Structure formats: structure tokens, C-alpha cells
Amino acid sequence: MTGLLPLSVRKAEVILRGKRIVGPVDLDLDVEGFTIVMGPNGAGKTTLLRMIHGLVRLSGGEISWNLPVREARTRQAFVSQTPAILRRTVQDNIAYPLILGGTPRRLAREKAAEWTERVGLGPALQRQAVVLSGGEKQKLAIARALITEPELLFLDEPTANLDGRSMKEIEAILGEARSRGRRIVMATHNVGQARRLASEVVFVYRGNVHEHRDAAGFFDDPHSDEARAFIYGDIVE
Amino acid sequence: MKRLGARLIPSLSLGFALAVSGASAQSQEMKLAVTTSFHNSGLSDILVPEIAKDLDLEVQLLVVGTGQALRLGRAGDVDAILVHSRAAEEQFVADGFATHRREIMYNDFVLVGPSSDPAGIAEAADIGAALSRIAKAEAPFASRGDDSGTHRREISLWDIAGVDVAQQSAWYRSVGAGMGATLNLASGMNAYVLSDRASWLNFGNKGDLALLFSGGSQLLNQYAYLPVNLARHRHVASESARLLEGWLTSGKAQALIGAYKISGQRLFVPNAKEADKNS
Amino acid sequence: MSDIWHGLVAAFRLVISFDADLIEIIWLSLRVTLSAVLIASLIGMPLGAWLAIRRFRYRRIIIAVLNALMGLPPVVVGLIVYLLLSRSGPLGVLNLLFTPAAMIIAQVIIITPLIASIAHQAVRDLWFEYHDLLISLNATSRQKMLTLLLDARRALLTAALAGFGRAVGEVGAVIIVGGNIDHATRVLTTAIALETSKGNFALALALGFVLIGLAVTVSLATHGLSRTERGGTW
């Protein structure tokens, strides 16, 4: 089976109401790895991910997958920083992408129950999802993204505003997903988390990709002053 | 997605069941437009069940003003009309919307007003004098103002009295409503008002109003029956309308009409003529 | 004050006596209005959802028109429906004038804009929240609408109840197209209008209280049913 990756982004940009939010960006994503998109708040991490996934329209440039666009979209999943929680039970939330894709309801619900267990939400299976805590909602969203077995998973700051325990659990879930072959691209501004998870780093600053390197190289010897300041916890505007 | 459907389907079928189960089981139906004044008299409550018994015919009454009744007849939305506005009825026949007009009965109009009678109409010699006194005293007067049979009669009575109500404003209030609403308004502001006797007697909110003036040929109110012309509207139940006409002019119906009383008063005088087909 | 008290007493007497005419009138009111609410919901709710998720040139104009139509005087609707259904009108052959079906049509026209507007607002808020998820999952327009409508069910219930309230208490249109025919098209509101015109305020008021009771009962029943159906607490 032909894979989704590699991905090539050329001169891609997003302009909203005359203001350039992101770009022009050149970026290549390889078949393997765990990419962390880093940068200060407001640097354009979220828009960059949304742009690549296709949630915002390109104002210029192009994004080309190794597959036709229509097919490419079905092999990716996206977890927002504040994921939408459907007004249904946890099980029905997680089963939802499969049902949309035409999986028989019973099978979808069985698989959803499995995934609910896997992300540690087992006891909440039949609860209304909107009453879950912030950490539980993130786990639900990740399970809902992984249930379709996407080749590529985007996550936008999945552990922002979560306590240490939830963060640890979510990192474990992501680590397991990676070991099962999921390609992951995740935005965070938590340097410690980036060090723990990243195989490569994309450093974003003022709407542009400043560095794209393997993680070890980036953390040992960042090229730009901004990246260096960011890693060492100085204030970067 | 299927769940939404599963929820909708029972309520859907309930809705259709609700909508369909109202179909009537009556063998024969016809629609008759009547004026509010006739309906308010309560006579229809006596006649309609008798018609159902004698003719196996369910007469559905549309209670509207004379203007609207004529309009419904013109459009072919009813099978016959029973109204009281001679000039308009004759025009209706002349225009070919009805084959003929058949007089059934008459009652009369009365002048109602505050029991203290500030204009002193109770002593007036005739209706013209009574209305002149109201105009002279500029006592409040409530007019239907809705182009109904009663309103048209009122206008013609003001002509007799020689008062041009179009020139009046402060005391002459044009209500633009049915008899009941106009009586309610007159009761509320203690105004004089022209009403048919039946509506007045059956009216439940008299307040301080009293019947002050009645009598005289100018206050007579002739009701006529006009079956809608089959040649104009192919769908009308003309056979039922013919049967009903025969019944209304029969000895039995005429006796029922003549015997009908409210508070001990006779309201209607039956005056149908045998086989009077052209009038 | 005493008139209102008499009305209450008369309403109580009417209801406990199970007056056959009253039952018939209540039943017809319910039948007509529930049918109208059902049909208006089937039109208005998908329309509201569609307006929320689609971007097209005349969208704003349609929404503005819908909002304006909410204030449409029922009498005008009644007159238009009468002219359409009259034997001399374009739809006269259907022979629907002065039937419950005509009243349902008029009420559908009156409440569809209301239901569509409330549905549009509710779905729009939810769409704002669900947008990324549904786009990301490649949901079709139909799937988007069904998901949003299902998940906005509480607000849609409110929309349907608002429609019910407006329709069941409406008199101007149904008296024109229904004709207030005894035992055929007489509903609570037209009966109230009739009794008021006869000056029978106590009876009119009694029927008014029955009408209020009916609206409250329907509202309570709807909320009760929807809660047992869902089982969740949120």
C-alpha cells in the first residue's frame, strides 16, 4: 500500500483579513518519526498544523502528499487543543468517526469500547462525555483520533492546562501509538515534553519555520537566538 | 444517524395518524355562510340538528360578516349563504353568483345605549329622530364600521336622520369589528349602538347598557337564502343547497323559527313564500 | 378581578365535567397544532442547520428574511392561505379550505420561520464548536447536519415548543382558513374568540385557562419524555 508520506510543503501561506498568519513555509515530513512543533504562544503553531491538515484554506503555495488529496485526508487525524465533545456518551464519541466512515454500528461500538479501555476511560464508557474532566476529554479525543488507525496524527497542545498525572498518561498513550507505527506531529510549548517525545523539532517563530532538525541536534545547539532563548526558558516575544 | 431516524419515525407516524383521523364520517355535508347576527341569536342551534335529522344533511356554518359571506359565495367556497343586506343580495344574483334569492324570515334592529339615556332617544317618535338626538347631544356612538349588513343598514338610517356621519369624529366611533366586539366596546365606553335584537338579547356583557328604542318598518331586518350558482362553480353541493332551501321554507322550519324565543321574546318572524323563485 | 375568578371556576367545572364538546375542541387543537409543529420542524430544523453550515451568496438575506417572517401577522398568513385554497384560487381543486388541513398549512407557515431561526442559532453555536472535528473527519453535508441536529436536540426541543406555543394560541389565521365550524374546525382559540364576541367572558376565559393548561401539559410531557429517553445528566 502506498503511504501518505513523505509530505512536501512549498511556499504555503495563510493570510486572514490582509494579515499574514503563517508562511511562506517550506517543510518536508518524512515517513518516520515524532515531530514536535515548538515555539512561543502566538507564533503560528496551531495555524501551521491546521493548514497542513486542511482545516484552513491556503492563501498561496502548495501542500503535496504522496497520495491524491481526497485519499490523503482520510489517512490523517487531528486533535485540537480544546477538542469538540459530542453531546453523547464516551462510547458514542469514540465510535463516531467509524460510523461516519460506514462501519456497522455494532462493530464501531465494540471497537470504541476497546479504545475507551486503552486510554484508561473504561469506567466512563456510558457517561455523557461533556461531564468529563479536561484530561479525560483529551484522552477521549485521542482515542477518537486513533480509532481510525490514521497514518498521521496531528495534536495541538494536547496537554496544555493539564496536571502532571494526566500529562504523563497522555504521553504514554502517544508513545504507544508511535510504537504501533503512527506518525505523530504535535505542537507544544513545553520544552520538557518536547525533549521527552521528539525525534525531530520544527521551531516556529512569527509565523515561519525557523529550524527543522533532529531533536538531539536542536536541543544541543539551536541555530537561532530565539530558539536558544526559548529552550532555556527566557522570554521570547 | 439512524438513531435520529428511529426517534423521528414514531413521532412522524403519530403526526400523520393525528392528521388523518379527523376525517368526518357524515354522509352529506354542505357549507352555509351566515352572518354573526343570525348565529348570535342561537336559532342555528335549534335548526341545524333538525336539518340533520330530517335531511341527513350536516350543515356546516361559517359565521362571518355579510361582506365576507358574499365574498365566500362569489369564490365558491360555500354552497349557500344566509344574509341580510338586500341591495348586496340583489347585486349578487344579478352578477350570476346565485340563481335566486329566497326570503326566509325577518327580525329587527334596536338602538341600545346607556340606561341613563343622555340623548333622550327613548321618547323619540321614529328612528330618524332618535339618531338626530344622539348626533345633537354628541353622545358616544359605536358603529360596526365593517361593511356588514348591520353596518350598511346603520349608514342608511343616518341618511334618513339627515346626519352625515362621515363629517363626525369625536363621538362617532367606527369599531371595524363584528357585532359582539362592537357591543363589548359600547358596553365598555357606555355608548349608543345599533344592534340586531337577537345579538343584543344573547349578549352576556350588557353592563350599564339598555334597549332604548325599537320598532318601525325602517328597522326590519330581512334574511334571505341564496344558493350558489352551479353554473358558476361546478363543485358546489347544489342538490344539498336545494334540499336545505326546501326545508327552511317548509311549514315545520317556519314554525320553529316563529316559535323561537329568548327571555320570553320572539325574535324572528318567518315570511317565506311558497315557490317564490324570483325576487 | 371577579371575572377572572369566575373564569377559573368555570374552567375547573368544564374540565372535571369532561364536556364532550370541550374534549372535541381540545383534541382538534392538539391534532392541528402537533401536526403543524411536526411538519414545521421537519422543514425548519434542516433548513436552520443548512443555513448554519453552508456559506453561499444569499445566506444573509435568507436569514434576515426568516427573522423578519417570525413577526408575520397571522391574519396576513390566513388571508394568503385562504386566497390560495379558495375554490377560486390556484389550489382550490384540492378542496382543503375550511378543513383541519388548511389550518395546519397556515400554522406551518406561521411557525416554520420561528423554528428555523431558533434551530439556526442553536446549530450555529454548535457548529462553531464541532467545525474542526467534522471537517477533519470528512463528514458530508448530510452527516454534518444530522450530527448537529441530533446534538442540538435540547435547543431544538425548545424550538418545537416555542412553535407549539405560537401555533396553539393563534387565532387570526385559523379562523379565516378553518372557518370556526362547529364540530369540524373549531379549536380553542376560535371558540374563545366566538364566546368573547357573544360577551360570554367567563366561558371565554375558562377556555383560555384550558388553553394555558394544555400548553403547560404539552411542555411538561415533552420534557419528561426527552429526559427518560436520554438518561444522562448534563
Side-chain angles (χ1 to χ4, degrees), chain B residues 2 8 14 19 21 39 47 73 119 121 130 135 143-144 146 154 189 194 202 266 274:
Chain B
K2 274 182 196 145
L8 275 178
L14 176 70
S21 66
H39 184 258
L47 298 184
I121 65 167
S143 165
R144 289 278 292 273
D146 62 349
E154 181 211 311
M189 60 187 196
L194 181 76
N202 263 339
R266 274 184 66 183
E274 276 306 315

Side-chain angles (χ1 to χ4, degrees), chain B residues 47-59:
Chain B
L47 298 184
V48 168
E50 289 296 323
I51 295 166
K53 225 189 299 170
D54 291 355
L55 302 179
D56 193 23
L57 177 66
E58 187 197 343
V59 176

Side-chain angles (χ1 to χ4, degrees), chain A residues 7 9 27 47-54 63 65 76 154:
Chain A
L7 161 74
V9 177
L27 185 70
T47 307
L48 178 66
L49 295 194
R50 284 165 50 90
M51 177 186 85
I52 298 172
H53 183 54
I63 292 174
W65 303 91
Q76 316 166 32
F154 292 98

Side-chain angles (χ1 to χ4, degrees), chain A residues 50 53-55 73-74 76-78 80 84-88 96-97 100 128 130-131 144, chain C residues 126 129-139 143 146-147 150-151 153 230 232-234:
Chain A
R50 284 165 50 90
H53 183 54
L55 292 177
R73 282 291 298 278
T74 64
Q76 316 166 32
F78 192 96
S80 309
I85 302 300
L86 302 173
R87 308 297 193 267
R88 308 165 186 213
Y96 181 73
L100 274 197
Q128 288 295 326
V130 286
V131 302
R144 192 172 58 192
Chain C
L126 205 58
E129 193 184 331
Y130 285 13
H131 176 274
D132 280 8
L133 177 66
L134 294 178
I135 301 287
S136 174
L137 292 174
N138 293 309
Q143 288 174 325
L146 281 171
T147 298
L150 184 60
D151 282 21
R153 54 194 176 270
R230 192 156 32 240
T233 50
W234 47 273

Side-chain angles (χ1 to χ4, degrees), chain B residues 69-71 73-74 80-83 85-103 152 224-232 245 276-279:
Chain B
L70 292 166
R71 185 64 224 255
R74 258 172 214 277
I81 60 179
L82 181 65
V83 292
S85 185
R86 185 166 187 145
E89 291 158 19
E90 282 168 351
Q91 187 62 46
F92 192 81
V93 174
D95 291 344
F97 291 106
T99 47
H100 61 280
R101 127 179 217 284
R102 184 86 179 264
E103 296 191 339
R152 290 176 190 190
Y225 178 87
L226 296 91
V228 173
N229 192 350
L230 185 66
R232 269 300 173 99
E245 180 179 338
D276 174 5
K277 289 275 175 180
N278 307 296
S279 173

Side-chain angles (χ1 to χ4, degrees), chain A residues 190-236:
Chain A
N190 179 328
V191 180
Q193 184 171 56
R195 282 182 191 272
R196 287 193 293 278
L197 296 175
S199 69
E200 61 170 12
V201 171
V202 172
F203 184 73
V204 180
Y205 183 67
R206 292 197 176 161
N208 246 308
V209 173
H210 275 225
E211 295 190 40
H212 181 196
R213 303 166 58 196
D214 68 289
F218 177 78
F219 287 116
D220 288 350
D221 177 26
H223 286 169
S224 61
D225 292 345
E226 289 84 5
R228 182 173 302 112
F230 187 76
I231 292 169
Y232 294 114
D234 294 342
I235 293 169
V236 182

